[in-house]
Each structure stands twice: as structure tokens, then as C-alpha cells.
Amino acid sequence: MSRIIQPGGGGLVLPSPGMPAPGTGSEPVLLTASGVIQSSSGATLNTQALTNPLKVPIEIQEIRWQVSDPSEDNTVNGLSVACQLTYGPLALTNGYIPVWNFGRMYNQYEDFADYHEYRWRLQSPLFVAPGGLVEPKFQHLGLVKEALNVRISYLGRTVPKHRPKSIQVPYVAAYLSDSINVRAADATTESKETDLQNALDATIQVDRYVGRLNLYSLDEEEGTVTNTDHSALVFDVAQFLTLEMSDSDGYKNIMPDTLFWEAFNPQFRCWDVQHSLQAGGFYLVKLAYDGALISSLAEDVFGPSSIRASISMVGHREVKTS
Amino acid sequence: MRHPIIMSSYMNELPDTSVPAGMTYQPDMERLSNPYGLWSILTEIRFFVSFAAFFPDTPQPLPMGGYFSAKFTMGSFGITNQFVPLPMFCTQMEEQDENVYGFPAALLFGAQAGTGSYSMLRWKLPEPLLVPPLTPLHCTLRRDLADPDPAVSAEWPKVKIAYLGEQLTPDFQPPKMAKVPYVSYQASTSPIGAGLSLQSPFLVPLHVQRLVGTTSNTSLMRIRDTKGFDVVKDFTPQGAIFDIPRRAWTFNRVLQPNEAFTIYSQPAGSQVCLIGWREEQYS
């Protein structure tokens, strides 16, 4: 029930439905769970820890992931683990999404001494009823042979008990490119219609595209692997990577010969948009790479290295609850 | 239904000889125009500047954005008052500078010796710009800094520009009035007495979004508007006006026709950029 409040400055403010009025006790909430995923395997975490334990609904405003390699032998990142999210019968993702493809990069503070953290600020908070669960499933993408630690956290707040007529539900789909040898000349790879697709039966509002680029390097003597997306080498290699993108309505969205960094700028790794994508609609991405200059270099500059792009569309849709 | 779009120029190919400062370069406007002949809305402009060279003992010439300036017009609408250095379009947070191996310098001088620099800059327009189909946003780029020692340079600075936004439907009808961004840049080596004037040249109000400057704490600055109001009353280190993490001061102020901010610097020499928008008649 909304009530009229009178702020100190005078005048009457009628809170919108679902907004807690000041003083009604909206509390911050954090739910978290962690686990270990074996290489190239899937895993579920402790879902009880992620279930709304309160008698009032909560709104999830942000989801965070932490990834680390307990062996400390390798460097891992947000392409090492992918996550699938569902809320009851509602899909939040089109399959598994690399965990760095949900949100924008925030000032590059993602890499810490012993773990990597990725944040996703939801465009609209996700309403979770008492006892409700946003269930994550994880997939180790096999970039390293060691098992990885993963943690997921939901951050939000409590809201007054009510039953909204509709809720805003996020939706994310991703395309994970083939690996491209950094010495390859004239390599191309492209997505399928089912990758960046709205697989729902409703229109979604696409809010942004996120583009990440991973440089995978194998130290053959040590047998260790480095995955990085912001070393000097990545920036050097990326100048030879261009992309183009078109949508299912036949429009070109990214014109050919656009640099990867032009579309997904290094500061935020994203492109904010407003695009209505109808049910079944999709984007097609084509990546082109020419590493001819690199192939002229001595082997010890790059060693056996490959790049892999992951591009996602992040949006939301309205779901009627009654 | 609107469809997102990125249009980008080719990387310019400046000659591999010493290029004098002041040389202008015209990106291929066909690549920066809507390919379907539709009305567009531009929300961001991104610049990519690349320079591969060999600098054995000298610091890298970062940020690379300072090597170029840009001038924008759209039909009869002025978007910039003159050539504006690329870093002055955006806050520090919208700029990324990297030192890397650099090609082809690495091939000429050896992989470990060849170095390069990139600057990637992003100007998020203060208001989306409505672009007619046959009147694209016209860009001219200019080399500003002189070359480093040609004897140790393998490649001259290159620049690439991208427009990001949305393309509108074929049946789109333009409004009578729409917001148009405006950038006024001033630089001077004048002494205190001759202040820089960031003036609104329009007959309509100019809505100021921010001032962009430099963050030198050895240079002092004060700002007064034409009504005599002291925006910055005392000579103040520029790093305190344009805070170091952002290189900018964002505020909300409307300049009426012929109003201006006057900038006084001490010692002589300053550069300041005013970013804002005004309304223009479209139909």
C-alpha cells in the first residue's frame, strides 16, 4: 500500500507502486554461494544459499562473479567460466555466457592478486519473491586443465510485500568465436543465428553489446597458461582484428573494417544501445583477422598464442505475472 | 524500429616522410554516412590513434591523441568552433593510452626495440545528434604535433574515426527543432591581461555540459563570465579546476546569446574546451 509522505521541503510525493517509502525499512541484501568446477565440466552451487530467505520480496540490482585458479599456476579470467541463469521458468540467458560478458568493465578493476571479479549492474532490478531462486549453473570452458573456484553473489534490497502485475527480467545471449592463431593471415570466423539470438517468444529490449578479447598463451616449458584481455600484447594483436555485424531485419549494425576496439572501447568493453529485438531475432557477427605482420616476428615474442572474442547482447523484457 | 549502427573510416595513410604540423586529412565521408540513406542519431564518436616507432631512450609520446585535432560541421550547423585536439573532446576517463610493441617498427628495429603507442578516445555527445540522410556529420582531421626524429620513426601517426548511434526508419519525420552539440576550444600563450573567451556564437541559448582542460598544477587559472560573475574567483591550479581523474568540470549552465566565459591564466598559456548543445531548426 502506498502512502503519502511529506518531505521536509513541503509538497506531497506519492511513491510509485513497489517503491518503499522512506522509513519503511528497505534493507540491503547480499546472497552468495561458491564452489569448485573441474576442467571442461559443469557444476551447480548451493542453491539454498541463493534462495530469498526472507518473508518479503527482494530486488536484485547487481550480480557479481569471482573466478580464481587455486593452483595459482595459470592466469584465468572471465572467459574461463560461463554461467547460465534461470528464475523459475524464466530464462535469463540463452545458454551459458562467459562471466565477463554480462556487464561493462568498470575502470579495469577486475584483476586482483588471487581472483578476478566481474560485475553486472542490471538495467532494471529483478524482483524475486519470498522463497524465489535465481539459479546459476556453471561451465568450465577448458582454457586451463586445473579446477577453478567460482563464486556468485546477488546484491539488492528488500521491498515491501506486494505482487507486481509485471516484472522486468534480464536476458543475455553470447557468441564465443573460434580461436584464431595470432600468426594466422586472413583468418575469418562468424557467428550462427542461434548465438546472439532472442530465443524467447517475446520482444526484448537490447541495452548493450559487450565485446571481450582473450589472448591465450601457453608456456610449453612450464605447462602453464596465461589468459589476458588487457596486456600490451592484446592491444597490439587487436589492431589486426576487425568485425562487422548485421541483424535479422537485414540492417548492417557494424560496417565492415571496424576495429574491434572501435565497437567495444577498451575502457568499458561495451556499446550502449536501445534496440528492440523481436522474438527469434538475431545478430550475425563476422570477425576478420590478419596476423601477417606478427608471423614475421620471432617466435619468442608471442609464443604459441591465440585470440578468441566473446560478444554478447544484454537486454531485458517485461514479463506479466498474472 | 531503430537499428544500431557503427560507421567507421579507414585508417588514414599519411606519407612515410616527415609530415609538417598543420596538414589536414579528410576521412572517407561515404563510410561515415548512413549506408541506407536513412536519418540517423549519433550518440558517440570514437577516435583510434596509432603510432609505431623506435624510441630507445626517450619517453613514449603519450597521449597519442594530442597528435591530431578534429573539426566537425553538419551542413550549415557548426559543431566545433575550430580544430579541437582529440583529448579535449572527452574526459580522462574516456581515454585509454597504451604502449605496446608496435608494428612495423618491431620488424625494422627488432621485436624488443620496436615500440608503439595507441590512444583510444571516446566522445559521448552531450545530446544525441540527429543526422539527415544527405547531410552527414563532416569531419576534417589535422596533424598538430611535429614529427619526432624521423631517423628513429618507422611509421607516422595514424588515426581512425567511428560514429556510433542508431539509424531511424524510412518513414521517420524530423522534428522542427532538435538539439545539436557544440564544442568551443581556445588556446593561448597570451599573458594574463588577454583572456580567452569561450563565447556562445548563437542567437539561441547554449547549454553548457562541461569544461575540459588540462591538469597541470603549475599553471593557474581563473574564470569570469560576461556578467562579471567570478566562476573561479582566485587564480587556482588547473588540476583543482579540472580534477586529475577526469580532466574536466561538469556543470549545468546556460549561456545566453553573446555571453561568454573569460579564462585568465598565469603564467601565460592555457587551453580550455567548452562542451554543450543548442537547439537548431531542422524543418
Side-chain angles (χ1 to χ4, degrees), chain A residues 104 107-108 209 230-233 235-237 239-240 245 247 249-259 261-278 283 293-294 296-298 300-302, chain B residues 1-11 31 35-36 38 43-44 46-48 50 92-96 98-104 106-107 110-112 118 120-122 124 160-162 164-170:
Chain A
R104 65 170 63 208
N107 299 328
Q108 304 198 0
Y209 311 105
H230 57 259
S231 72
L233 287 177
F235 285 98
D236 229 350
V237 168
Q239 69 174 313
F240 305 114
M245 185 171 92
D247 62 36
D249 287 339
Y251 282 84
K252 289 265 187 209
N253 306 117
I254 300 177
M255 304 305 287
D257 296 309
T258 297
L259 288 173
W261 289 142
E262 286 183 301
F264 307 110
N265 66 320
Q267 299 94 324
F268 304 109
R269 310 289 159 99
C270 72
W271 172 24
D272 293 316
V273 297
Q274 295 175 31
H275 186 212
S276 296
L277 189 64
Q278 293 173 331
Y283 302 102
L293 271 177
I294 293 178
S296 314
L297 281 175
D300 61 354
V301 175
F302 281 96
Chain B
M1 186 184 295
R2 297 174 170 191
H3 295 268
I5 189 164
I6 296 178
M7 299 166 285
S8 68
S9 71
Y10 287 119
M11 192 82 87
R31 286 185 57 87
Y36 305 108
L38 296 173
T43 54
E44 280 184 40
R46 294 179 180 179
F47 305 99
F48 180 87
S50 140
Q92 182 70 46
M93 293 174 70
E94 310 291 349
E95 174 177 341
Q96 177 136 348
E98 293 287 338
N99 284 325
V100 294
Y101 278 120
F103 299 97
L107 300 175
Q112 302 309 320
Y118 302 129
M120 288 150 275
L121 305 102
R122 167 182 182 256
K124 187 168 169 49
K160 199 171 184 303
I161 182 169
L164 289 78
E166 299 172 358
Q167 41 196 335
L168 305 176
T169 51

Side-chain angles (χ1 to χ4, degrees), chain A residues 17-267:
Chain A
M19 275 291 275
T24 56
S26 174
E27 299 288 344
V29 173
L30 190 151
L31 304 173
T32 188
S34 63
V36 178
I37 319 175
Q38 299 302 319
S39 185
S40 303
S41 301
T44 55
L45 305 185
N46 177 2
T47 53
Q48 195 174 355
L50 297 170
T51 301
N52 178 4
L54 305 171
K55 292 179 180 174
V56 295
I58 61 172
E59 283 182 348
I60 296 176
Q61 298 163 318
E62 180 173 325
I63 299 177
R64 295 180 188 164
W65 293 264
Q66 287 182 358
V67 181
S68 62
D69 174 9
S71 75
E72 299 183 358
D73 289 339
N74 309 290
T75 306
V76 297
N77 58 22
L79 191 67
S80 305
V81 172
C83 181
Q84 175 179 314
L85 296 168
T86 53
Y87 175 41
L90 302 173
L92 275 62
T93 61
N94 182 13
Y96 286 94
I97 311 294
V99 297
W100 67 5
N101 271 101
F102 286 91
R104 65 170 63 208
M105 177 187 264
Y106 288 90
N107 299 328
Q108 304 198 0
Y109 295 130
E110 294 180 328
D111 302 324
F112 301 92
D114 51 0
Y115 66 93
H116 303 261
E117 183 174 89
Y118 302 95
R119 295 170 61 197
W120 179 25
R121 293 282 302 179
L122 304 187
Q123 189 81 8
S124 304
L126 174 61
F127 177 94
V128 179
L133 167 69
V134 176
E135 184 179 9
K137 289 181 179 170
F138 286 92
Q139 181 71 41
H140 187 306
L141 293 180
L143 295 181
V144 297
K145 61 181 187 299
E146 283 75 15
L148 297 177
N149 289 343
V150 65
R151 173 177 292 280
I152 189 168
S153 304
Y154 302 150
L155 291 83
R157 61 171 189 165
T158 61
V159 292
K161 219 170 192 175
H162 70 292
R163 185 180 172 81
K165 290 180 180 171
S166 66
I167 61 173
Q168 300 291 327
V169 181
Y171 186 74
V172 184
Y175 158 56
L176 187 52
S177 82
D178 296 335
S179 292
I180 301 173
N181 187 314
V182 296
R183 297 170 183 281
D186 297 327
T188 59
T189 180
E190 50 195 300
S191 67
K192 303 189 297 291
E193 294 181 0
T194 50
D195 291 326
L196 290 168
Q197 185 186 39
N198 174 7
L200 306 172
D201 55 7
T203 298
I204 61 167
Q205 183 67 42
V206 179
D207 303 312
R208 74 172 60 105
Y209 311 105
V210 178
R212 295 289 196 142
L213 190 62
N214 186 53
L215 178 67
Y216 170 97
S217 303
L218 171 65
D219 184 327
E220 288 176 312
E221 285 185 9
E222 300 287 334
T224 57
V225 166
T226 300
N227 291 284
T228 180
D229 76 327
H230 57 259
S231 72
L233 287 177
V234 179
F235 285 98
D236 229 350
V237 168
Q239 69 174 313
F240 305 114
L241 181 68
T242 61
L243 81 166
E244 58 183 279
M245 185 171 92
S246 55
D247 62 36
S248 46
D249 287 339
Y251 282 84
K252 289 265 187 209
N253 306 117
I254 300 177
M255 304 305 287
D257 296 309
T258 297
L259 288 173
F260 190 85
W261 289 142
E262 286 183 301
F264 307 110
N265 66 320
Q267 299 94 324

